[in-house]
Amino acid sequence: MTTATARLMDGTALARRITEQTAAHAAKLTERTGTAPCLATVLVGEDPASVTYVRMKQNRCAKAGITSRHVELPAGTTTEELVATLTALSEDPAISGILLQHPVPHHIDERAAFEAIAPGKDVDGVTMHSFAAMGFGLPGFVSCTPGGIMRLLAEYDVDLTGKHAVVVGRSAILGKPAGMLLLEQNATVTYCHSRTRDLSSIVRQADVLVAAVGKAEFIRGEDIKPGAVVLDAGYNEGNVGDVHFESAARASLITPVPGGVGPMTIAVLLEQTVQAAAAQAGLSVADL
């Protein structure tokens, strides 16, 4: 079994601690301002997985002392209508942060929708403003899944300096920002994607491997460098990740699926919502 040799990176336990601290900050902020932080969730259409994800996030909000406002839009919503909704939420002083559940229906310009979110309320880290902040190492909201990955690496004392980090996947809200955050911590980063030649040979060089390709068990154990740290950001049908878990025993650390990166994504979202609420009140969580 993989667990006999590869140590599990327990995202559930770390996420619980982050959420408890977030709840404490939310309670203090509510006491000081008289208003609880509020996360607006926007869902277009009725995709079953998206409905489940949004409900999960709303439940976690409630446990952390964060109120939520849910906006459901029909599947036929146009880009212009979605942009108008997000603009209105951005301008609403009662809203601390905004989450647009993605992916949106194919006919919608998702990037245009993301850019309608005010930078100060982009607690999911999906706008170009947040992307630039991550790229330049400046203060701002990180993309939640990459942010969760970095917190896991810190929790398990993984020194990234000089390490070769390989990111398999190049999405604008996962693969690309994950690479930038790793680079900021002095890793040497290689991005791989669908057109990478001889992918296996590159993956075998990884001291730190981030799997974010969205294909079930795409990366096999024989392609993992002995002693590598493996972060599986995939979640596919059958509750499996992008890495074939059982054959990845040669890793030194690995995230399980579920229970690894997933819980961390939501924990970072909640944490950033409270940070946004504090900033909008002229405070920081350090003041609470």
Side-chain angles (χ1 to χ4, degrees), residues 5-9 156-158 227-231 251-255:
T5 51
R7 183 183 175 198
L8 293 183
M9 304 175 82
Y156 286 86
D157 297 319
V158 178
V229 176
V230 178
L231 297 120
S252 61
L253 289 165
I254 189 170
T255 56

Side-chain angles (χ1 to χ4, degrees), residues 122-135:
D122 179 26
V123 294
D124 201 24
V126 296
T127 63
M128 288 190 284
H129 182 279
S130 295
F131 190 87
M134 286 183 283

Side-chain angles (χ1 to χ4, degrees), residues 15-29:
R16 184 182 303 114
R17 294 202 304 274
I18 292 172
T19 302
E20 287 171 354
Q21 185 179 54
T22 296
H25 287 151
K28 291 178 181 178
L29 183 61

Side-chain angles (χ1 to χ4, degrees), residues 146 167-180 182 189 191 210 212:
V167 180
V168 185
R170 54 175 172 175
S171 78
I173 56 176
L174 209 176
K176 288 179 180 177
M180 293 191 300
L182 289 161
V189 179
Y191 287 101
V210 176

Side-chain angles (χ1 to χ4, degrees), residues 19-20 22-27 37 59-67 270 274:
T19 302
E20 287 171 354
T22 296
H25 287 151
N59 291 339
R60 299 288 173 82
C61 279
K63 292 179 180 179
I66 299 169
T67 61
L270 301 181
V274 174

Side-chain angles (χ1 to χ4, degrees), residues 19 23 28 61 68 78 81-82 92-93 96 103 111 128 146-147 161 169 172 177 188 209-210 233 249 275 283 286-287:
T19 302
K28 291 178 181 178
C61 279
S68 57
T78 66
E81 289 168 337
L82 179 56
D92 187 341
S96 308
R111 176 48 49 195
M128 288 190 284
T161 301
T188 298
L209 175 64
V210 176
Q275 289 170 351
L283 302 167
D287 299 320

